[in-house]
Each structure stands twice: as C-alpha cells, then as structure tokens.
Amino acid sequence: MKVDSRSSAPLLNLSCYVSEVDRALAKFIPSRLAESSESSPKRISGPDGRNLQLRFRTRLSLPLFTGGRVEGEQGASIHVVLIDANTGRHVTFGPEASLKLEVVVLEGDFNKEDWSREEFESHVVKERDGKRPLLTGDLCVVLKEGVGALGEIVFTDNSSWIRSRKFRLALRVASGGCDDGVRVREAKTEAFTVKDHRGELYKKHYPPGLNDEVWRLEKIGKDGAFHKKLTAEGIVNVEDFLRKLVKNSAKLRAFLFRQNLVRAQRLEAPLIWDRKLENYAQNWANQRKGDCALRHSFQDGQFSLGENVFHGYGKNWSPADAVVAWASEKRFYNYGSNTCDPGKVCGHYTQMVWKNTRRVGCARVKCDSGAIFMTCNYDPPGNYIGQKPY
C-alpha cells in the first residue's frame, strides 16, 4: 500500500511567479497574436502554422483533500505533453518543447473547449482573503522534449467557497516563456472537489489492504446498515470479508477469492458464489471435455450471462492461472476511450470488474487430450456497448 508521507506544508515556489503588476500591464499591452474580440480564439496558430496546446495525460486520483498530495490515479505522476493540435502529434523539438510552465487553479465551471488567454486568466482562482496561497509546493514544470511532470503540490483550502464548488488544475506558460510570441494554449483537468482533510478519515483506500476496516471498500458506508450487519457477523476488516466468502470449498478459494482481489483493486463490491451459475459452467465445461475448444456457450450477440473461458496445454493449469490471464488484459484496456488496444483482447478483464455484476459460478475440467478448460459465468452480465466497467 502506498503511504502518503506528510510533513509540514511545502513552501510556495516562486520560480514561476508572475507578479500582479505584470498581469495588470498585460491587460493594456496588445498581444502579438492579435487576439482581438473580432477574431476567434479557437484556432490560434504560430508563424509556422502550428496550433500548440498543452494537455494533461494523467487522470487525477480523486477525491482530493486539503493537505494531501495531488497525484495521478494509482499514485502515478501527473504528466503534461505539448502537441500540435493541427496534426495531433507530440512536439519534441524547438524552443517550445523546453518551456517553463506554471501550475494554477481554475474555477470548476470553466467548461470552454477553446478559449483566449484573457478568458483563461479571468477564471484563475486566487486564495481567499487572509488565507495561505491556494496551492503550495512545486508550482513550476519544465518541459523536456515536450513532456513534463508535476512535482509535489498541495491544496491548502477546500473548494466549497467558490460558485461551482469545484476546481480545475491548469498549466500555463510562465511569464516570459515564449519570447517569440507563439501562443501555447493552456491545459486544464476535469473539474473536481477538494474536501477538508477531516473528510479523509472516511476515504476509501485504493488498493484496499487486508487489515483495512471493511467499510474502506467501495459501496460499504461507514456505520451504515451493511457495515453494521457485517460487524454483527464478526466481519471487521477486508481479510475477514474475503475469508467469509471463500470458506466453503477449495473451489471458492481458487476462483472467487482471486477474482475478488482483482475487483478490490477497482474498489468494486466482491462477487458472491452462485450454485446455479456453477452448475451452468460445469455443464458447459463437461461438453468441452472431448475437444477442449476455446468456445463460449452462447452464440455471438446472444449472451444472457457474462462468460469468461480459458484453456491451456502443457501443465496442470489452475483457476488462479485463469484469473491471472484474464486480469493481465488490464494493460490493454483504455478507460478514456472505453476500448481495447488495436488487435488486443480486454473483455475478460472488464467482465471481472464490471460494476453491476454480483454473482459468479465457475468450473474446471481436464480434457481428454490432457489440456485444461475453465469457464466462469457472471450475473448480471457486463461488457455492454457504450458503458464503462467502473
């Protein structure tokens, strides 16, 4: 489990600071790109015809709390990249690929897809009167070959006091960064809420640890009805919860425990073993005993249950091997576009973590050829077109 190591709040980084005097003067100095009210900001090109834009490449880990480090999903660094929007290509050379950037906060309701520099600046959020700077830490990012990574930054105030009650992180070129007058459009994240650090006491853990209290799992509210019922049954932590689910047989331990660990990584509720689904899976596995063909029990487009299948040769493949194979498809799944990488399969993984699936039943047979066939069925099924798994 990643530990959020905290010390005293980092000092405000002044290397990217732009004085209020500079900002005031900028309002009266015409832009060298002639961004007048009569021209559209939607297509701002430099002298060489490029349309340079900064874009975030990492989703934030939410929710955010005051005093806590801002980081990407699963603790990843937050990256930004410079692109030429005319071609969609990453800009890796030239003076713009080594720009110095400044991290700022925007109002959450700044929803425009195209904007001018003035519009962007008008939505920058400053700290409340009498408060510390809204963001502290390393507020400067330097691009290297068109890519940069945010350092340690921390919110000192929550977002409840502004109109939208949400913030956005943004990056803009630091003062004096583009001496040739080329307009580089700023980057902004999706809107998010920043909560007071006291709310972190109720934060769900990702990934959950075996010793975490059971309410740290998604969809189990602290002191809620489900939590109280689990406590009455002696289920206090995540390990208790998983052991309760898998105590009945080796089959449950082999199939169910492993799949619920995968779901726990996405903070999805654990699956429950279903005897009817087990019988269905066993019936299909028995039919495959003769040929061990990697086939589904349904015709294409006629699935009434979710179904994952596996076969292997050359060794005594276990249920854990099947789950690991299905879970390994995670690297081929793109959450943003909700698609698999070209030429790759990821549907076994998305079915395992599908948010609405509640029950599972599985079976394993040794085929006449000596190979192993395994299948699991899920209800309700997942992998609906146009819907995301979590």
Side-chain angles (χ1 to χ4, degrees):
M1 180 179 295
K2 190 178 190 303
V3 177
D4 185 8
S5 176
R6 295 182 188 167
S7 58
S8 58
L11 296 176
L12 175 64
N13 187 304
L14 298 178
S15 61
C16 290
Y17 180 73
V18 181
S19 71
E20 294 299 327
V21 174
D22 289 338
R23 296 189 192 284
L25 289 174
K27 295 180 180 179
F28 300 99
I29 299 176
S31 167
R32 291 198 285 186
L33 293 178
E35 294 172 354
S36 68
S37 59
E38 297 178 355
S39 62
S40 170
K42 294 186 177 182
R43 292 292 180 268
I44 303 173
S45 300
D48 55 2
R50 293 183 299 172
N51 181 13
L52 299 181
Q53 300 180 7
L54 295 167
R55 289 186 183 176
F56 282 100
R57 286 302 193 209
T58 312
R59 296 169 63 92
L60 298 182
S61 177
L62 303 176
L64 293 178
F65 296 90
T66 58
R69 179 175 179 176
V70 179
E71 56 188 12
E73 288 184 334
Q74 303 182 42
S77 297
I78 302 172
H79 286 92
V80 63
V81 64
L82 178 66
I83 68 162
D84 180 355
N86 291 335
T87 63
R89 293 180 179 176
H90 172 202
V91 178
T92 59
F93 60 89
E96 295 85 5
S98 302
L99 284 172
K100 182 179 290 187
L101 311 177
E102 180 185 12
V103 184
V104 296
V105 181
L106 291 179
E107 295 170 357
D109 56 3
F110 185 50
N111 298 317
K112 299 192 69 171
E113 294 299 323
D114 296 284
W115 58 84
S116 66
R117 181 182 290 112
E118 288 75 15
E119 288 174 321
F120 179 89
E121 295 296 335
S122 69
H123 286 82
V124 171
V125 179
K126 293 296 184 180
E127 64 273 9
R128 288 190 277 181
D129 291 341
K131 294 283 188 178
R132 289 191 297 160
L134 185 55
L135 273 183
T136 61
D138 190 359
L139 305 183
C140 186
V141 177
V142 178
L143 296 181
K144 182 177 181 180
E145 296 182 347
V147 178
L150 274 66
E152 183 170 332
I153 56 176
V154 173
F155 278 93
T156 65
D157 200 358
N158 63 60
S159 58
S160 64
W161 53 277
I162 64 171
R163 180 176 60 251
S164 67
R165 297 184 177 273
K166 291 185 177 182
F167 292 143
R168 295 176 188 264
L169 270 186
L171 282 165
R172 65 186 176 195
V173 177
S175 179
C178 278
D179 294 334
D180 58 359
V182 174
R183 168 85 161 103
V184 178
R185 201 181 74 174
E186 303 80 5
K188 63 183 177 71
T189 66
E190 295 298 315
F192 55 84
T193 300
V194 177
K195 301 179 181 180
D196 187 83
H197 71 90
R198 290 185 295 256
E200 194 166 13
L201 297 174
Y202 298 90
K203 183 180 180 181
K204 304 297 184 181
H205 283 175
Y206 179 81
L210 292 178
N211 293 323
D212 279 345
E213 293 181 86
V214 70
W215 59 264
R216 295 284 188 184
L217 294 174
E218 192 71 16
K219 301 177 183 177
I220 301 178
K222 181 175 171 60
D223 297 326
F226 192 17
H227 183 208
K228 291 178 179 177
K229 185 176 180 179
L230 292 172
T231 302
E233 294 291 330
I235 302 174
V236 177
N237 57 31
V238 173
E239 184 175 14
D240 296 336
F241 188 67
L242 294 175
R243 287 185 182 279
K244 190 75 172 179
L245 289 175
V246 300
K247 71 177 184 178
N248 293 330
S249 70
K251 183 180 295 182
L252 294 184
R253 287 194 297 273
F255 278 111
L256 185 61
F257 183 84
R258 297 280 181 170
Q259 295 194 70
N260 278 334
L261 285 179
V262 176
R263 290 178 65 84
Q265 291 176 354
R266 293 306 322 170
L267 297 181
E268 292 298 336
L271 301 176
I272 297 172
W273 193 262
D274 188 290
R275 294 296 181 186
K276 291 183 179 179
L277 293 177
E278 177 188 357
N279 292 337
Y280 182 95
Q282 189 65 61
N283 179 61
W284 181 245
N286 291 340
Q287 294 183 53
R288 298 273 62 80
K289 190 173 184 295
D291 60 12
C292 227
L294 191 65
R295 289 171 50 192
H296 284 288
S297 62
F298 301 94
Q299 297 295 324
D300 289 344
Q302 298 179 9
F303 281 68
S304 59
L305 297 171
E307 184 170 80
N308 283 353
V309 293
F310 171 96
H311 73 173
Y313 302 87
K315 77 170 192 176
N316 192 31
W317 298 90
S318 69
D321 293 324
V323 175
V324 168
W326 297 333
S328 68
E329 296 174 4
K330 176 183 178 181
R331 65 186 186 276
F332 303 132
Y333 175 62
N334 299 296
Y335 184 85
S337 61
N338 195 29
T339 59
C340 305
D341 286 345
K344 301 295 183 179
V345 174
C346 62
H348 300 98
Y349 167 71
T350 54
Q351 171 59 84
M352 276 202 301
V353 298
W354 197 264
K355 57 188 174 184
N356 295 327
T357 298
R358 292 291 178 266
R359 294 170 294 280
V360 66
C362 305
R364 174 185 181 274
V365 296
K366 187 172 184 178
C367 302
D368 296 341
S369 62
I372 302 297
F373 180 89
M374 286 177 275
T375 179
C376 287
N377 289 101
Y378 305 84
D379 185 53
N383 290 342
Y384 284 98
I385 295 175
Q387 296 184 25
K388 291 187 175 182
Y390 46 83

